[in-house]
């Protein structure tokens, strides 16, 4: 009986959606709340993009994972529950979408726990976490372990799941990567200034197919991160359909929720273990 | 009899042209008036790009909407009228092209009304508005309603028309999006610094075809925003021809002026209603 | 007998090469002279790229125009003459490559005249001018006329030649455009920071073919601006070969030096006349 | 008997890998050591990307050159040796990855010698050098010569090897170029801010094939610079496979280590000799 994390699939696809709504913009400055167009650009995510994506996932019968900031779940009651009801996973994506690297340890802990309280109040079971902006600090994994979660999905130390040892216990890391993110392909805003050229959905599809094919060769986790306010747009949704169709046609690709991959990874005796720690920096070598 | 806003077309195309001329540059700093090359780059829009585009629209017999800053209409007498005479719509695009988010409410109101006065003096009937830089504030829609206009085209809360309730009454929103804008594909200037890589017209065509096809699937408003100083260039004009030809070949796409879409939207009983308001921001959550 | 400026060709191609060498970098800060790699990147232009381009032009038998800063001609004696000897034109491209918009009128005049003195001393006849960075000021065209030159090639007010009236007389403008420049496609430097993504030569070729085809439709001047330190690289030189081959295959494209186009333009009775002047800016409208 | 540097091949390919790990980030500010995700993104290079690349090179039987900062070799004992054992070359890539242009001559010398000491202690023979960020200063080549190395690979003055005369002796330069670097195609980080759009591996392959074909025409050195944390990713590794396959299929391309090309260059009597020196800068011409 196979016990490897990928269950003998050539690659495992975790479709993940960061349902950020207004939070990444407010985290850059609360004055942006005055920008009506920018706020509407972000609200499009939960209001238009998310239902479209949920319908598409239903149609294909593939499961997904939705990383939701606590602030978003709190200000849009029912959103998290509606995702779980469709058979998908909701996971922890900070409360405010302020990145750990911009906070003190106390602030990070408070933000982390405030999100857990929101989900607990809504009856949403949480077993995984992704840091805002993927900007984890060295204490982030320990926070995840301490609060009894099973996995984190913020680091880039591999392209397959790995185990992370912390002072508070061991968790699974489901690594991400900038190339598997729709932000760099599609995001554009004048204020705050985000992006430059906007790519065609077919270019993004080409890139992600290339990575999926590479990952099928090397037995990796294709941990794709999409944002409903970006990939919920019509042309991009069609390109995402093609990507899912392609993966299904491959015949050797499994779709799974992050929590299921994390469980399989915990049962895999051959997974590498890392203990993340900052590199030593000598002020004589790096003076500034 | 069908009463839906799209009149049973799979997608509705509103070709819109923002005839900005020098205004977006001057709004970034009046010292740029000293830059002769940059000013000539902007003047190309009304002087070369616009006539070329008007001829092309005649050839295809498709209507369009031209958003003109009041300053441009005032400094180029006859421009707005020449557009209307060809069967197209002229709409309000601020006076100075300074974005509402950069002005006080009083400044925004004064700028808004100054543009209306210019068009009134020229006998141009105005029923719609688009904020400069698409950077509407929360009071912008109420200004539009208060002055008796029918629609706004500055927000991004959907990809279909929606109704916006304001204290001054209800208007139609014809939403825009950065991906349906030629600025991100083509604009480049060294001072003020704008853009980076300049895309091929065929790449822009690929992107816009992808969005049009997606919008045909989801019954959306393909509200394309082009600038005569950018898309009036020869190679880009040819790509725009191909886009129009493609849309006509689809057989399920309607071309319309914004005002006609707004009228159809007002008559559609199923249109969603939104009441735009800023998100609540707690300084404890977003301290900066 | 035909007297139009394009001599009945569908489009006229002026291949122009800005032989800038180190000057655009030094103009951004003379401290960059300390950067050995950056300086070598710029020196590649006259030392490797230029001979390769001259050989290629010989092979195709097409003429070109080389805009050379006076500083470059002075520090590399024989360079300008070697270009003229191959049948091409050398034209004025400032002395220092500091843009007119960054100088006082007195500084611009001194820089302009210093370049003329260099070329006079080398026996190079100069009849045309292009502003550094294409950043002409409003007095630039008058300087060109005052010194008896026939044409300028720095403005963007059209895509066909036009006449410019100045207080010092009338000259021809051979307009340029950012889309017909290799800088936006290829340039990258970390310090000074220039560019972002580097495009493939095939993408640049696609863009320029699109513009050439558009210009054949609209009877324009395809005034391509290339830099030997960029387009002299092997893969880009091959793409340029293909562009030249394509233009030759079209059968309706003429290649010409700028001076010859300018002479033809002066003889065309139908050319539009413009009198460049800064737009009026009211500090109440544009306060900053 | 042929004595030219390329041994009659149409082009010579030096696959080079800059095994930078965390150093380029720490060189931008040691505070980035706090960013766990960014550090994991860099650690991926030696831990995941490098073994994958070494296996691929074995499979094709092609040799390569690995430029390793002394800091990396020191903090990851065995890394340099494991590369040499597979038949490849390890070369000098500074100690700290701080660029020479950011250091005093004394700092540069100390950094340079500290790296040599690391390699000496590990028994790694070093014959070549590449400046951090390719940002050599004018004294860099003399340092290389003074310490008895045979070649440098940091300048851009040609696309074929050339000889560099310094006060400390003559060395070979194996020139690099931004277009033959995976950084501009793939690198993205939010903090420090790096990159914008992320390109598809197929686009990078198209660019590099174009350059290789151009270099086959002009008999050049295709000195490709890749980073294991970038090009070791699955989809990019597959594109690199295709590039190697393509080069092998050409039949006229040689793969070689840098040291072997340098030796062949030293034996070529026709190689050009340059003596790099800063251009003269007159403060009257370049005041800032």
């Amino acid at each position: 009986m196979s016990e490897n994390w990928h269950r003998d699939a050539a690659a495992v696809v975790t479709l993940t959606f960061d349902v950020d709504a207004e939070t990444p913009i407010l985290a850059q400055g609360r004055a942006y709340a005055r920008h009506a167009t920018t706020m509407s650009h972000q609200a499009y995510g939960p209001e238009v993009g998310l239902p479209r994506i949920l319908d598409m996932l239903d149609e294909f019968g593939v499961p997904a994972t939705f990383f939701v900031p606590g602030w978003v779940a709190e200000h849009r009651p029912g959103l998290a529950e509606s995702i779980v009801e469709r058979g998908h996973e909701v996971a922890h994506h900070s409360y405010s979408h302020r990145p750990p690297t911009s906070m003190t340890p106390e602030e990070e802990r408070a933000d982390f726990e405030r999100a857990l309280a929101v989900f607990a109040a809504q009856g949403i079971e949480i077993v995984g976490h992704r840091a805002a902006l993927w900007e984890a600090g060295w204490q982030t994994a320990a926070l995840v372990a301490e609060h009894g979660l099973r996995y984190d999905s913020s680091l880039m130390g591999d392209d397959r799941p790995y185990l992370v040892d912390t002072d508070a216990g061991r968790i699974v890391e489901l690594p991400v990567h900038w190339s598997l993110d729709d932000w760099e392909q599609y995001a554009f805003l004048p204020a705050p200034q985000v992006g430059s050229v906007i790519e065609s959905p077919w270019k993004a599809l080409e890139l992600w197919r290339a990575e999926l094919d590479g990952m099928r060769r090397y037995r990796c986790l294709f941990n794709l991160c999409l944002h409903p306010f970006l990939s919920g747009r019509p042309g991009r949704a069609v390109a995402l359909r093609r990507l899912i169709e392609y993966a299904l046609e491959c015949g050797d690709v499994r779709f799974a929720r992050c929590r299921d991959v994390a469980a399989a990874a915990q049962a895999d005796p051959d997974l590498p273990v890392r203990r993340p720690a900052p590199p030593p920096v000598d002020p004589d070598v790096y003076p500034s």
Side-chain angles (χ1 to χ4, degrees), chain A:
Chain A
M1 177 191 133
S2 164
E3 289 200 354
N4 63 45
W5 70 270
H6 50 89
R7 310 248 189 261
D8 291 330
V12 176
V13 171
T14 41
L15 296 176
T16 74
F17 298 89
D18 288 5
V19 189
D20 293 340
E22 297 85 358
T23 61
I25 307 304
L26 298 177
Q28 290 202 46
R30 66 172 186 268
Y32 291 118
R34 291 180 50 238
H35 291 232
T37 299
T38 296
M39 291 297 107
S40 71
H41 177 264
Q42 299 303 118
Y44 178 98
E47 294 174 17
V48 180
L50 182 60
R52 184 172 288 157
I53 288 164
L54 287 169
D55 287 349
M56 187 196 304
L57 296 174
D58 273 359
E59 198 181 327
F60 285 111
V62 296
T65 305
F66 294 77
F67 290 90
V68 182
W71 189 94
V72 174
E74 189 174 66
H75 284 81
R76 288 181 165 87
L79 180 146
E81 193 180 7
S82 73
I83 293 169
V84 173
E85 280 171 356
R86 307 279 278 258
H88 306 293
E89 175 183 0
V90 166
H92 188 314
H93 191 38
S94 84
Y95 177 76
S96 64
H97 212 278
R98 290 166 64 203
T101 49
S102 75
M103 293 191 280
T104 65
E106 294 71 32
E107 288 172 331
E108 180 181 3
R109 173 177 292 272
D111 184 273
F112 190 96
E113 294 180 347
R114 186 166 180 181
L116 286 179
V118 170
F119 290 118
Q122 297 188 353
I124 306 292
E125 187 208 26
I126 299 291
V127 304
H129 169 266
R130 174 173 287 170
L133 287 184
W134 298 351
E135 278 278 30
W138 296 105
Q139 74 287 358
T140 304
L143 268 182
V144 171
E146 175 192 334
H147 289 83
L149 306 192
R150 179 179 291 158
Y151 73 90
D152 176 74
S153 180
S154 319
L155 299 178
M156 306 196 178
D158 209 327
D159 40 36
R160 286 168 272 205
Y162 56 100
L163 301 175
V164 170
D165 267 357
T166 81
D167 289 340
R170 178 174 287 185
I171 60 170
V172 174
E173 178 62 37
L174 303 178
V176 288
H177 191 257
W178 305 113
S179 62
L180 297 177
D181 182 13
D182 59 356
W183 187 273
E184 292 74 20
Q185 306 303 317
Y186 296 147
F188 181 87
L189 281 176
Q193 200 183 335
V194 170
S196 54
V197 163
I198 297 176
E199 294 289 33
S200 155
W202 302 127
K203 184 265 174 149
L205 179 64
E206 177 188 297
L207 166 60
W208 295 331
R209 277 187 55 163
E211 281 303 322
L212 178 57
D213 286 340
M215 289 184 147
R216 290 166 62 216
R217 178 180 197 103
Y218 291 112
R219 307 255 176 258
C220 303
L221 175 67
F222 184 83
N223 190 15
L224 186 67
C225 176
L226 305 173
H227 296 78
F229 69 87
L230 295 173
S231 286
R233 301 279 320 170
R236 298 164 184 173
V238 167
L240 177 56
R241 296 182 68 90
R242 297 283 168 87
L243 181 67
I244 295 173
E245 287 167 351
Y246 175 73
L248 292 170
E249 289 161 12
C250 285
D252 56 5
V253 172
R254 280 187 70 232
F255 284 81
R257 297 178 304 179
C258 287
R259 63 170 62 199
D260 301 321
V261 177
Q266 284 176 318
D268 183 338
D270 297 326
L271 228 61
V273 183
R274 287 186 176 84
R275 189 174 178 92
V281 278
D282 178 347
D284 287 342
V285 178
Y286 297 111
S288 62

